[in-house]
Amino acid sequence: MAELDKKEELASEILTEESLDNIHHVNNPVLDVPAIEKKYLGTPTSYVKDSNRFIFTDGKASVEIKVFSDEIIRVRLAPQGSFLDDFSYAIKKDLDIHPTSFSLEETADAYLLKTSLVVCRLQKADFRVAFEDVQGKVFNEDHKPMHWEENVDYGGYYVYCTKTTPDDEVFFGLGDKSSNLNLRGRRFSNWNSDTYGFAFNQDPLYKTIPFYIGVTAGDAYGIFFDNTFKTYFDFAAEENDKTSYWSEGGEMQYYYIHGPQMMDVVKRYHELTGTHFMPPLWAIGYHQCRWSYYPESNVREIAKQFRKRQIPCDALYLDIDYMDGYRCFTWNKRYFPDPKKMIADLAADGFKTVVMIDPGIKVDEDYWVFQEGKENKYFCRRGDDYFMEGYVWPGRCQFPDYTNPKVREWWGTLYRGLVEDGVAGVWNDMNEPAVFGRGTFPGDVRHHYEGYRGSHRKAHNIYGMQMVRSTYDGLKKLQRNKRPFTITRAAYAGTQRYSSVWTGDNIATWEHLRIGILQLQRLSVSGLSFCGTDIGGFTGEPDGELYTRWMQFGVFSPFMRVHSAGDTRDREPWSFGPEWEAICKSFIELRYKLLPYIYSAFWRQHKYREPILRPIAMLEQKKMQNLQREEEFAFGHHILVSPVLNPGQQSKIVYLPEGDWYYYFDNTIYAGGKEHQIDTPLEKMPIFVRAGSVIPEYPVMQYTGEKNIDCLRLNVYYGEGRQDSDVYIDHGETFAYEQSVYSEKHFIVEGGKQSLIVTQNQEGLYNERFDTYKIYLIGVPFDVNKIEVDGVIVHITMDEDNSPYFSVEKEFRKLTIG
Ligand code: MIG
């Protein structure tokens, strides 16, 4: 589209500590003002205790160390001794964590703040902070004391923290960065940016997740630098033995999160910032998107083709062109004369409709949204009180200040019409915020910031998050407590509480398929598990092979949506000819078979704070080599995949962690703890199931809920030793699961030389419609003579495909196979 030319690429140049020095030093020797230079903490001279906070001072500056739990300790710095208001958009409101015990000890050279698991050591000589485990192993320590520099232009400080970096340390996290999984040797900045057609290693991108995990000598810890200003991270890039993070404003405030398992670090990061609520079941089906499907006849035709070709699909998206002159919350009646009827017809055919809403509101005195916003002073203003105006799709626009709770409330109500029209989900875009020409808002724009006030320098990185929060809250009310479906492009830490995310405007190249695999793993360990890429690539032209390989990866992306720019060729699963269509269809069908497994992984994310995608490093972090593997990952606890990332690739080396693994397509067993060469014909990809797993499976449906499940298929993969599996089921729509209206089935599989025992425990109040399980045994290494369920013998039957199975009551407790 030619409009794209309107946009100017945001400068992605990174300011270094040194270049910052050059910019803002305005020392005036005539007036007797102190020189602006980096100042370092001195020697702690005293401290005060205030319940679980300890405030140390060097006579002028203060450092607060607060014990949040046995594993989480927060450090704050106040250069002049007074801390800023303790407010964060990232930390969840109902934070309910506490240390079991803690104490402060003073030795000749240090203060030691101890919990049952962590020692925070404060060096008396120079105020350096270190974190150790109770055995005295250092996990993370300051290389030099925290430091700062006055900001003469805006007030406040540039704040810095520099840590020592051992030779073997590797780093993960930081959200959507398009770099290799291990961040070591690179410097990053966080400033949410509309980065159309971004490149490998381009930075910053759309999201700000200032959280990283360090792994050294096989042990992991995390640092969450909760600062919404433009922040920087240097992972041993400038100097090989130092890692620094700093900000252009706000407070040096970070959480140390103890491991030693990466999984524990991520779970504890979720304790602070929350998890994703259970999505509606349809949201994890296959979604078809395009910039844009219009007019109505086109949308209907796409829907018709899906059903005719029997390719499952749950949602169709309407991009900006459905609106009247890009005015949010309106319809272009020429393209969509009767949206309610169209959406109802689509719904009857099993399609949900998701629509785009941007933040830019057209300056138009005859447009009710503009009128309301103007009347109530909901739009952002510049430092000198002028309105913040900028050009986006609708032309000249003003922008709501979503950091004002009243504005969020209002914005939430604006969705009423769309909800009444039957719209099922909302897609928030351009919320970095993006403005044509100038990139984003200038720094002087003022924000309410929950009453704490701030310029755009402070609010920029949370603008998109607060927009989608308001969308989420609004939809939740309007849809009478049905689970909303929202998706956002910009995000800050904690956005998972309100939305899913996608990685923005990628390119249809093999390199971008690979970048997507890195980004989704990284987002997942950074708290944003409900994530996806534009399958097939947003801009540029994929061929059938790239599209199909990307679709295969899409099955194992928590959010599975094909999307593309309007100036590219058609991107429906059938657009590349029958050969590719058949493969795509079979993989979309695989997604639908795996739905109960995927849904269970979402539950484990929601309730147990487990990320959905897990890098191999997370499965076996003690093996140095695994810390560098980045092409394969676990999808939930029991499935491991290694997407094919090259054209014409015939086979691929896949490393399998310890234990046995089943190749999904033919149940061949592979031994873990080593690499295998796996064939990768076009219609397959390396998918492995962990031995000992119970994988639930639904029959293929054209959309979620198309058929009633009259019995649940469980595939039991024999494994020696013991394995746990969870299967989660609920009705898929409301928040009743918060009142325990769900069914969580916990299976333990124990495989012996001559026996296989499966036990089941259930919790929750939900009673499914089905009464029985159909159990398929896979890989049992001995001849089965007898199957006993809770003391009663059952017999094997053959299904339509001539595969043996047996049926058991869903309440069974113990199954013995021998
Ligand atoms: O300036 O709405 O990333 O998914 O199709 C481009 C049109 C605006 C950018 C989004 C893309 C969407 C497009 N949007």
Side-chain angles (χ1 to χ4, degrees):
M1 291 227 166
E3 287 98 314
L4 286 174
D5 298 337
K6 285 189 205 160
K7 300 201 306 178
E8 194 187 71
E9 293 290 313
L10 286 176
S12 60
E13 182 198 326
I14 297 180
L15 295 176
T16 62
E17 287 197 35
E18 289 61 41
S19 61
L20 281 173
D21 285 349
N22 299 332
I23 294 174
H24 59 268
H25 278 193
V26 200
N27 295 330
N28 189 334
V30 181
L31 301 171
D32 187 24
V33 289
I36 294 158
E37 55 187 20
K38 277 193 186 145
K39 297 213 174 83
Y40 290 77
L41 282 166
T43 309
T45 49
S46 64
Y47 74 89
V48 221
K49 176 179 187 293
D50 168 20
S51 116
N52 54 346
R53 303 157 67 213
F54 293 84
I55 297 163
F56 297 86
T57 172
D58 65 2
K60 193 164 187 207
S62 296
V63 171
E64 180 208 78
I65 307 205
K66 182 171 173 180
V67 186
F68 275 73
S69 71
D70 291 2
E71 309 90 359
I72 304 177
I73 294 176
R74 186 180 72 182
V75 177
R76 297 167 81 195
L77 164 72
Q80 301 292 341
S82 42
F83 293 95
L84 300 180
D85 291 312
D86 195 359
F87 167 76
S88 164
Y89 278 116
I91 304 296
K92 61 177 196 170
K93 275 231 175 63
D94 46 351
L95 193 66
D96 191 24
I97 50 176
H98 310 277
T100 51
S101 68
F102 60 90
S103 62
L104 186 78
E105 264 173 42
E106 196 177 337
T107 67
D109 55 4
Y111 293 101
L112 303 174
L113 178 51
K114 297 184 170 173
T115 73
S116 65
L117 294 166
V118 183
V119 180
C120 172
R121 172 190 295 272
L122 248 186
Q123 221 51 55
K124 279 190 180 168
D126 58 4
F127 231 132
R128 279 185 304 128
V129 182
F131 295 93
E132 305 168 357
D133 66 10
V134 284
Q135 282 81 42
K137 181 184 164 178
V138 178
F139 275 58
N140 174 273
E141 63 181 326
D142 283 352
H143 190 274
K144 38 184 164 186
M146 286 183 276
H147 43 294
W148 64 92
E149 240 176 308
E150 200 183 330
N151 182 335
V152 284
D153 300 319
Y154 294 94
Y157 304 91
Y158 294 78
V159 289
Y160 304 85
C161 187
T162 302
K163 302 285 186 180
T164 299
T165 307
D167 282 348
D168 72 325
E169 184 160 13
V170 297
F171 298 94
F172 299 93
L174 238 55
D176 63 347
K177 304 302 181 195
S178 62
S179 299
N180 287 328
L181 221 48
N182 175 5
L183 304 167
R184 185 171 181 137
R186 296 207 68 80
R187 174 176 284 188
F188 299 93
S189 60
N190 291 309
W191 185 251
N192 293 356
S193 303
D194 176 5
T195 45
Y196 169 83
F198 59 89
F200 183 62
N201 279 337
Q202 184 175 327
D203 182 64
L205 299 177
Y206 303 90
K207 301 174 184 67
T208 293
I209 318 291
F211 162 66
Y212 73 84
I213 305 167
V215 187
T216 163
D219 288 330
Y221 68 90
I223 296 285
F224 173 39
F225 179 24
D226 188 8
N227 182 309
T228 62
F229 285 78
K230 187 169 192 179
T231 49
Y232 300 83
F233 287 79
D234 180 302
F235 296 102
E238 188 174 298
E239 287 177 87
N240 195 34
D241 60 344
K242 295 186 191 74
T243 290
S244 298
Y245 42 95
W246 66 98
S247 170
E248 294 190 2
E251 206 169 55
M252 174 45 66
Q253 163 176 156
Y254 70 90
Y255 295 80
Y256 167 81
I257 305 173
H258 196 62
Q261 294 301 312
M262 279 174 79
M263 179 58 107
D264 294 329
V265 176
V266 176
K267 283 186 181 176
R268 287 166 191 155
Y269 170 73
H270 276 118
E271 279 183 351
L272 289 172
T273 60
T275 58
H276 199 283
F277 55 97
M278 279 306 283
L281 186 58
W282 65 266
I284 61 171
Y286 172 78
H287 295 191
Q288 182 70 40
C289 187
R290 174 83 169 161
W291 178 15
S292 302
Y293 287 133
Y294 71 91
E296 172 174 334
S297 56
N298 182 11
V299 182
R300 286 182 183 274
E301 178 59 22
I302 298 288
K304 195 173 120 199
Q305 288 298 326
F306 271 103
R307 296 301 180 243
K308 190 182 119 206
R309 295 165 190 269
Q310 291 284 285
I311 299 174
C313 180
D314 261 279
L316 297 176
Y317 284 60
L318 302 179
D319 204 328
I320 41 176
D321 302 284
Y322 79 90
M323 300 177 215
D324 174 19
Y326 305 119
R327 287 173 191 81
C328 289
F329 312 104
T330 66
W331 288 93
N332 179 323
K333 288 287 169 105
R334 204 155 47 87
Y335 297 151
F336 297 97
D338 189 353
K340 203 168 187 163
K341 170 88 169 57
M342 177 190 78
I343 294 174
D345 290 347
L346 290 173
D349 209 3
F351 292 99
K352 301 287 192 282
T353 304
V354 179
V355 302
M356 159 83 75
I357 287 288
D358 286 348
I361 296 301
K362 189 177 180 71
V363 176
D364 170 357
E365 299 293 341
D366 298 325
Y367 167 38
W368 56 285
V369 179
F370 179 72
Q371 287 165 354
E372 284 185 28
K374 183 178 168 188
E375 228 162 85
N376 297 297
K377 304 188 166 47
Y378 288 157
F379 296 121
C380 292
R381 294 181 177 234
R382 303 289 302 268
D384 291 335
D385 221 32
Y386 298 104
F387 282 104
M388 163 58 215
E389 294 202 339
Y391 284 80
V392 220
W393 293 104
R396 198 174 131 220
C397 283
Q398 295 189 6
F399 303 82
D401 181 9
Y402 301 105
T403 69
N404 180 343
K406 267 206 209 135
V407 177
R408 286 201 302 272
E409 174 85 33
W410 167 68
W411 186 261
T413 63
L414 298 178
Y415 290 100
R416 177 179 305 279
L418 291 173
V419 169
E420 281 169 5
D421 288 335
V423 162
V426 172
W427 175 19
N428 283 159
D429 185 24
M430 304 289 278
N431 53 356
E432 291 70 29
V435 179
F436 293 156
R438 61 155 64 120
T440 188
F441 297 0
D444 65 287
V445 168
R446 291 178 284 149
H447 291 273
H448 181 275
Y449 214 94
E450 243 51 32
Y452 296 102
R453 297 167 302 277
S455 71
H456 194 63
R457 298 169 65 247
K458 175 171 160 187
H460 177 82
N461 284 333
I462 47 88
Y463 188 85
M465 174 194 197
Q466 296 312 305
M467 179 193 188
V468 78
R469 171 187 183 183
S470 134
T471 301
Y472 168 83
D473 287 341
L475 290 180
K476 194 167 169 180
K477 281 185 202 141
L478 292 165
Q479 298 176 334
R480 294 203 186 73
N481 224 33
K482 261 207 221 158
R483 300 173 202 167
F485 172 71
T486 51
I487 176 160
T488 176
R489 194 171 70 175
Y492 182 71
T495 300
Q496 65 270 15
R497 299 196 300 273
Y498 317 113
S499 189
S500 64
V501 297
W502 93 105
T503 57
D505 299 342
N506 59 4
I507 312 178
T509 60
W510 290 92
E511 184 190 37
H512 261 269
L513 170 56
R514 183 187 156 76
I515 293 173
I517 280 157
L518 303 173
Q519 286 183 301
L520 296 198
Q521 291 184 69
R522 201 192 316 286
L523 282 166
S524 197
V525 303
S526 307
L528 300 173
S529 268
F530 197 5
C531 56
T533 62
D534 282 354
I535 295 172
F538 177 73
T539 182
E541 303 291 349
D543 61 10
E545 185 180 3
L546 175 59
Y547 180 85
T548 303
R549 289 304 196 187
W550 210 318
M551 189 71 87
Q552 294 176 344
F553 164 51
V555 175
F556 302 97
S557 300
F559 176 61
M560 185 184 189
R561 181 184 75 164
V562 166
H563 180 43
S564 53
D567 56 354
T568 63
R569 62 177 294 178
D570 288 351
R571 301 287 188 86
E572 291 76 43
W574 52 87
S575 305
F576 298 86
E579 183 203 350
W580 304 112
E581 178 181 342
I583 303 173
C584 287
K585 175 174 151 101
S586 76
F587 272 85
I588 296 172
E589 288 176 346
L590 174 59
R591 174 85 177 190
Y592 280 76
K593 286 188 203 164
L594 290 176
L595 273 179
Y597 171 80
I598 300 171
Y599 200 51
S600 303
F602 269 88
W603 174 247
R604 297 231 29 119
Q605 140 65 204
H606 169 72
K607 182 157 179 206
Y608 302 102
R609 312 182 191 97
E610 296 173 359
I612 295 178
L613 295 195
R614 306 168 192 176
I616 293 295
M618 199 167 228
L619 274 54
E620 288 183 344
Q621 72 185 45
K622 292 273 180 205
K623 289 192 183 165
M624 231 5 235
Q625 230 188 334
N626 286 345
L627 301 178
Q628 305 295 346
R629 292 183 201 275
E630 50 182 27
E631 281 190 10
E632 41 181 293
F633 54 84
F635 179 67
H637 191 58
H638 299 292
I639 294 180
L640 185 142
V641 296
S642 183
V644 179
L645 305 179
N646 298 296
Q649 191 161 356
Q650 307 284 316
S651 70
K652 177 163 192 189
I653 290 172
V654 179
Y655 169 81
L656 297 171
E658 295 292 337
D660 287 336
W661 295 84
Y662 290 83
Y663 180 59
Y664 179 78
F665 294 99
D666 65 10
N667 294 329
T668 310
I669 299 182
Y670 288 81
K674 56 180 178 199
E675 293 179 338
H676 296 275
Q677 183 98 24
I678 306 298
D679 285 345
T680 55
L682 291 165
E683 70 288 357
K684 297 210 166 65
M685 72 181 274
I687 305 172
F688 292 89
V689 180
R690 193 191 285 279
S693 305
V694 175
I695 308 281
E697 198 178 295
Y698 279 171
V700 172
M701 298 187 211
Q702 296 310 302
Y703 53 92
T704 54
E706 184 199 19
K707 297 176 191 155
N708 284 329
I709 307 293
D710 42 24
C711 62
L712 180 67
R713 174 174 179 147
L714 296 177
N715 296 326
V716 177
Y717 291 84
Y718 173 90
E720 247 187 78
R722 187 194 138 120
Q723 243 339 300
D724 292 24
S725 300
D726 276 354
V727 174
Y728 174 88
I729 298 178
D730 65 18
H731 55 58
E733 282 215 309
T734 73
F735 285 91
Y737 65 85
E738 289 175 349
Q739 271 74 52
S740 300
V741 185
Y742 60 78
S743 164
E744 182 183 320
K745 304 151 186 304
H746 186 63
F747 297 98
I748 298 169
V749 173
E750 288 164 289
K753 290 266 172 291
Q754 289 297 322
S755 71
L756 175 63
I757 296 170
V758 182
T759 47
Q760 179 185 224
N761 275 303
Q762 309 212 35
E763 81 174 64
L765 306 173
Y766 184 68
N767 189 14
E768 310 88 4
R769 294 234 185 97
F770 62 82
D771 295 318
T772 53
Y773 298 136
K774 264 184 169 180
I775 294 193
Y776 287 74
L777 296 177
I778 296 161
V780 178
F782 50 85
D783 287 335
V784 175
N785 298 315
K786 196 169 98 180
I787 302 176
E788 233 182 77
V789 183
D790 295 328
V792 180
I793 306 245
V794 293
H795 297 286
I796 299 249
T797 325
M798 289 297 174
D799 70 8
E800 318 81 62
D801 302 326
N802 228 14
S803 303
Y805 75 94
F806 57 93
S807 293
V808 299
E809 303 269 306
K810 70 174 177 193
E811 286 87 14
F812 90 86
R813 305 289 305 215
K814 185 171 182 188
L815 208 96
T816 315
I817 297 141

